[in-house]
Amino acid sequence: MKDDGAPDGDELARLIGQVATDRDRQAYARLYSYFAPRLNAFLRRSGLPPNTAEEIAQEVMLSVWRKASYFDPARAGAATWIFTIARNLRIDHLRRLRTASAGEEEPVEVETAPSGETLLLTAEREARVREALKTLSDEQATVLRLSFFSEKAHSEIARELGLPLGTVKSRVRLALGRLRVLLEGHS
């Protein structure tokens, strides 16, 4: 377990193992609460509409429950394995759309999904960002989390926190500048 309460790779692999061997519902619940929002965000960033992203994220987590015994920590990390399932289900969904619209003039374009290596690099970059976030003031970290992780508009953050809009924008700008300095040495 990491300092921020998020499970690390070993913990995630252990939880999948518990689901595979014992059908452990608590282990599955922890996996679900950790991965479902990340999968949903990943699928939405890939261009899927929110309701479709939610459905595919649910399908991914159902696959994790059903196929946990297929997970091999020697071949891939837990996050890589789960995001690969998501990528494959996304591609399947886009293929079904393309097949359904074969008679239409404009076919649906299928993007190249990220590779396992790309997903792993993304996970490592996210870990570096989480570490860098810990160095920010509470005020800066709060507005960044609301802005980027919760995808809220600056005006919405200002209302929620009871702050002037200019203050929110300044905190975001200063926090991003600080993160940029901290992360440049790691790129």
Side-chain angles (χ1 to χ4, degrees):
M1 176 99 37
K2 296 178 185 172
D3 292 340
D4 62 0
D8 61 18
D10 292 337
E11 174 73 4
L12 293 171
R14 188 184 64 73
L15 292 171
I16 293 172
Q18 288 177 314
V19 170
T21 58
D22 304 329
R23 302 313 260 171
D24 186 323
R25 291 176 184 261
Q26 287 182 334
Y28 179 75
R30 288 195 54 213
L31 287 167
Y32 190 93
S33 66
Y34 181 75
F35 280 109
R38 287 164 175 81
L39 290 166
N40 195 353
F42 166 73
L43 293 164
R44 287 179 69 180
R45 281 193 305 266
S46 75
L48 294 178
N51 61 336
T52 304
E54 175 98 17
E55 287 173 18
I56 293 175
Q58 298 272 340
E59 198 175 332
V60 170
M61 293 311 299
L62 184 58
S63 292
V64 169
W65 175 259
R66 290 179 177 158
K67 299 179 179 184
S69 62
Y70 293 107
F71 172 65
D72 180 0
R75 293 185 62 201
T80 302
W81 182 68
I82 291 173
F83 277 93
T84 299
I85 294 170
R87 177 190 66 108
N88 292 341
L89 289 175
R90 178 184 167 276
I91 290 170
D92 290 346
H93 170 77
L94 293 174
R95 284 183 182 143
R96 282 191 303 271
L97 282 179
R98 187 174 53 189
T99 301
S101 66
E104 298 175 10
E105 286 184 22
E106 293 185 36
V108 175
E109 292 183 27
V110 176
E111 298 175 17
T112 304
S115 67
E117 179 183 1
T118 301
L119 292 173
L120 181 61
L121 292 173
T122 300
E124 289 172 354
R125 185 176 61 242
E126 287 175 358
R128 285 195 308 270
V129 169
R130 276 194 298 277
E131 286 300 312
L133 277 171
K134 291 177 186 177
T135 68
L136 298 177
S137 70
D138 289 340
E139 294 84 9
Q140 289 177 344
T142 298
V143 295
L144 268 190
R145 283 188 182 97
L146 290 171
S147 180
F148 291 98
F149 300 127
S150 298
E151 298 180 1
K152 293 186 178 188
H154 291 167
S155 58
E156 189 177 349
I157 295 167
R159 275 193 308 276
E160 187 174 312
L161 298 178
L163 296 170
L165 180 59
T167 300
V168 170
K169 289 183 177 187
S170 292
R171 287 181 183 172
V172 168
R173 183 179 46 78
L174 291 170
L176 287 175
R178 176 131 172 85
L179 287 178
R180 189 174 299 114
V181 168
L182 290 169
L183 295 172
E184 279 179 353
H186 290 94
S187 32

